[in-house]
Amino acid sequence: MNTTPLPDPKDRPARLTVGVVGAGRVGPALAASLQLAGHRSVAVSGVSDASRRRAAALLPDVPLMAPAEVLQRSELVLLTVPDDALPGLVAGLAETGAVRPGQLLVHTSGRYGARVLDPALRAGALPLALHPAMTFTGTPVDVQRLAGCSFGVTAPEELRLAAEALVIEMGGEPEWIAEDRRPLYHAALALGANHLVTLVAQSMELLRTAGVAAPDRMLGPLLGAALDNALRSGDAALTGPVARGDAGTVAAHIEELREHAPQAVAGYVAMARATADRALAHGLLKAELAEDLLGVLAEGRPIGTGTGGSSGPGGGSAPGDPADPHGPPGPTAPEDPTDPDDPRGPEGDDR
């Protein structure tokens, strides 16, 4: 194992040699983006055929090597492996002497901050946590999507400027996340991005069952407007039968879902309860209408007996509001989840 120390950071040339450990959807895209900024990709490691294809597409002519060899060649190393694999990988690299003093070690996990790199820090590495809040496809389009993408940045204070500079070179926007807030930050992204895919996919399935030939075309403008409204106005953008307190309409929805898509009932009820809570808290749902609605959602009364201002189980939406269940559009579907370098992760966490 080569243990020759790297140059001191203050003496290091502005352009760095870059290596990637874990050629999932994120690593090759970040390395390709750094190449555009003038850095040089020199090595990549990957296990599966899919990861090797991604490396060949995004980092052509960059040799595939074992992780220890990637570190030996690189001044900046991107550790883009699944969250659960990261601590063991870092510990193993440090224990075997693969980590060298002065080496920039960057992981892209949303869950972890810089402390997961402590074994490498003790070996002299410079630890950075740079998590792109973006969903990745494993194709060249990912490099374009990094423009304006927010990155959750966590690093020792003395490396903060270096971390932020790397993000800016990739076209991103650095957002400082405290070490102890990383899990909460990550949960927020997962809630917004990953669950969104499930909601949109279920909605498209239901529309197909209802006879809609092109559910994506129907949902696109609606969900796009809903996302824009939500980002601009927050809870004030809530609309639909739950926010209005139309218990009869909600009851009819549940009854139809039980008949045609029973697997969707639990999700519908859970989201409706969460929506009702937020609508109540922000004064959108009238308290006198909430009782029947919450009774329906709690299944404490027979379906369809709520009044809630509607005409019964088939009660309609308010005039001018024919298709009110706003929700944002889903990102590109992930690739093969069996790829060990390419797990499906939370929104913005597809390593």
Side-chain angles (χ1 to χ4, degrees), residues 116-142:
V116 72
L117 298 174
D118 277 355
L121 174 64
R122 290 190 289 271
L126 308 177
L128 309 175
L130 308 179
H131 174 252
M134 177 56 62
T135 185
F136 288 78
T137 64
T139 66
V141 71
D142 295 334

Side-chain angles (χ1 to χ4, degrees), residues 244-343:
R244 287 193 301 269
D246 287 346
T249 298
V250 172
H253 289 174
I254 295 173
E255 190 171 356
E256 286 296 301
L257 291 175
R258 280 180 172 160
E259 180 178 352
H260 299 288
Q263 73 281 359
V265 172
Y268 179 95
V269 170
M271 288 304 300
R273 286 174 178 164
T275 300
D277 288 344
R278 299 190 74 87
L280 270 170
H282 288 82
L284 301 174
L285 174 59
K286 296 178 181 179
E288 61 268 24
L289 299 178
E291 183 178 355
D292 279 350
L293 175 66
L294 295 176
V296 167
L297 294 175
E299 298 183 338
R301 62 183 63 191
I303 293 296
T305 61
T307 55
S310 79
S311 57
S317 300
D321 190 16
D324 228 358
H326 292 296
T332 305
E335 295 184 31
D336 180 8
T338 63
D339 181 357
D341 296 309
D342 188 33

Side-chain angles (χ1 to χ4, degrees), residues 155-346:
E157 186 62 35
E158 61 270 22
L159 295 176
R160 178 169 180 162
L161 291 180
E164 293 177 345
L166 283 173
V167 170
I168 291 169
E169 284 193 313
M170 289 186 281
E173 297 284 344
E175 183 71 36
W176 191 256
I177 308 295
E179 181 80 31
D180 62 352
R181 294 299 175 92
R182 290 288 291 205
L184 179 61
Y185 153 81
H186 195 217
L189 295 180
L191 184 67
N194 299 159
H195 298 172
L196 173 61
V197 177
T198 300
L199 291 173
V200 174
Q202 283 189 336
S203 181
M204 289 198 294
E205 287 176 356
L206 294 171
L207 286 172
R208 290 191 189 97
T209 302
V212 175
D216 53 339
R217 189 163 64 240
M218 175 176 283
L219 286 173
L222 174 65
L223 302 189
L227 176 59
D228 184 64
N229 291 343
L231 292 175
R232 290 173 184 270
S233 305
D235 288 300
L238 283 172
T239 60
V242 173
R244 287 193 301 269
D246 287 346
T249 298
V250 172
H253 289 174
I254 295 173
E255 190 171 356
E256 286 296 301
L257 291 175
R258 280 180 172 160
E259 180 178 352
H260 299 288
Q263 73 281 359
V265 172
Y268 179 95
V269 170
M271 288 304 300
R273 286 174 178 164
T275 300
D277 288 344
R278 299 190 74 87
L280 270 170
H282 288 82
L284 301 174
L285 174 59
K286 296 178 181 179
E288 61 268 24
L289 299 178
E291 183 178 355
D292 279 350
L293 175 66
L294 295 176
V296 167
L297 294 175
E299 298 183 338
R301 62 183 63 191
I303 293 296
T305 61
T307 55
S310 79
S311 57
S317 300
D321 190 16
D324 228 358
H326 292 296
T332 305
E335 295 184 31
D336 180 8
T338 63
D339 181 357
D341 296 309
D342 188 33
R344 288 181 286 185

Side-chain angles (χ1 to χ4, degrees), residues 13-24:
R15 303 301 89 185
L16 302 169
T17 53
V18 179
V20 179
V21 176

Side-chain angles (χ1 to χ4, degrees), residues 41-70:
S41 296
V42 295
V44 60
S45 72
V47 177
S48 69
D49 291 340
S51 66
R52 291 167 181 266
R53 287 194 300 269
R54 275 190 295 274
L58 287 163
L59 302 172
D61 302 321
V62 176
L64 284 160
M65 298 183 172
E69 293 177 292
V70 173

